């Protein structure tokens, strides 16, 4: 079980967009070049983020994306679910009801004991992602990345060469 | 992100094997028929469980599988990792180091702030799976499934029609 690499791209893009002055849009091309990822695939991720209400996109030559709400109101889970969907990581096929001894008899109902554990693990994963906001990530980046690199990055993003 | 359906099959098979008298083996064919799943795909899952040290397999006409250790010493995580592997669900491609402003300069090292959160969520998921043993699942099944069905299932498994 592996998340798509667009999840990594999407989180980094959101962090970059959340570091910009409000109402500043960045083009897909700029975000792709900055992160060194293929523009076409990144484009799909950004569209998914817009569809999920994390980003707002505009069209046209000066078009691009900005955050749809404040970084403190966006969680890791919002971004991950925009890319991966909200479906649980475990799908119960109710194979407990396939036993030959149940033929013609009443099937078991309620959540299967196996699924219950798998759903709980799924929720533990989501809970952890829900507990971290984009604003907190941006603060982590500010705390960790050397100030001169942060400045150079910001300048490049506002005026990509 | 979705787990393979073999994960569900593998957990159910382990629960069945853990309910048998010790040293009793079940054939892949029997386990496949009991769960109503394709024998060829189940066979791969059972082989993976044996390779991971969860099951022991024997060859020959009376061959099959039994648990490799006591059910109390097998966790959901052991079974899930046998099928899905131990790799983290998030792979960090270090795209933070692709910024044009780092060209020719020293790359960032240490765990990226994005990856740190994703790894923490992965570990929360694994922790939940690690906390539940196969023995506990078998007890849940005994508590939930009607006694007459449990008895019929046990009889069918010892002498499949």
């Amino acid at each position: 079980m592996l998340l798509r690499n667009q999840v990594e791209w999407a989180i980094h893009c959101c962090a970059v967009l959340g570091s910009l002055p409000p109402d500043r849009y960045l083009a897909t091309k700029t975000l792709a070049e900055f992160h060194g990822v293929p523009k076409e695939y990144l484009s799909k991720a950004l569209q998914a983020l817009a569809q999920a209400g994390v980003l707002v996109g505009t069209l046209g030559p000066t078009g691009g994306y900005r955050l749809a709400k404040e970084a403190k109101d966006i969680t890791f889970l919002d971004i991950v679910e925009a890319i991966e969907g909200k479906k649980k990581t475990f799908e119960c096929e109710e194979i407990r009801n396939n036993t030959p001894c149940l033929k013609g008899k009443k099937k078991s109902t309620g959540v299967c004991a196996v699924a219950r554990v798998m759903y709980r693990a799924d929720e533990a994963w989501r809970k952890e992602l829900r507990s971290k906001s984009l604003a907190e990530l941006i603060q982590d980046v500010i705390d960790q990345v050397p100030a001169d690199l942060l400045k150079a990055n910001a300048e490049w993003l506002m005026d990509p060469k």
Side-chain angles (χ1 to χ4, degrees), chain A:
Chain A
M1 186 171 75
L2 186 65
L3 291 160
R4 290 168 223 201
N5 47 14
Q6 278 132 312
V7 168
E8 182 186 12
W9 309 351
I11 298 169
H12 278 275
C13 284
C14 288
V16 161
L17 291 168
S19 311
L20 295 182
D23 288 327
R24 176 84 192 208
Y25 289 75
L26 283 185
T28 304
K29 185 170 172 286
T30 304
L31 285 164
E33 282 183 20
F34 183 76
H35 292 110
V37 300
K39 190 181 149 208
E40 294 67 29
Y41 283 115
L42 180 64
S43 174
K44 287 184 187 172
L46 296 172
Q47 282 166 30
L49 287 164
Q51 215 155 17
V54 174
L55 300 184
V56 169
T58 53
L59 298 171
T62 59
Y65 291 93
R66 66 165 172 83
L67 294 189
K69 42 193 170 182
E70 285 186 63
K72 71 174 174 53
D73 296 324
I74 298 172
T75 70
F76 265 63
L77 186 63
D78 294 328
I79 301 171
V80 171
E81 286 190 341
I83 305 298
E84 291 281 343
K86 288 173 186 263
K87 266 183 76 172
K88 290 191 175 76
T89 50
F90 179 81
E91 202 162 21
C92 175
E93 287 183 333
E94 291 286 355
I95 65 167
R96 62 175 169 172
N97 282 328
N98 293 347
T99 161
C101 306
L102 259 185
K103 257 183 199 140
K105 291 193 189 149
K106 197 173 152 277
K107 306 277 182 205
S108 297
T109 53
V111 180
C112 170
V114 171
R116 200 176 313 133
V117 177
M118 298 305 295
Y119 293 161
R120 209 154 59 209
D122 182 277
E123 178 48 32
W125 177 69
R126 275 172 223 274
K127 189 181 167 196
E128 196 65 44
L129 295 176
R130 203 183 287 118
S131 74
K132 184 86 178 184
S133 74
L134 183 59
E136 289 168 323
L137 170 67
I138 292 170
Q139 189 57 53
D140 290 347
V141 172
I142 292 170
D143 292 345
Q144 282 164 35
V145 177
D148 58 341
L149 178 56
L150 280 179
K151 187 164 173 281
N153 281 343
E155 283 169 6
W156 189 93
L157 287 162
M158 301 302 271
D159 183 20
K161 313 291 173 311

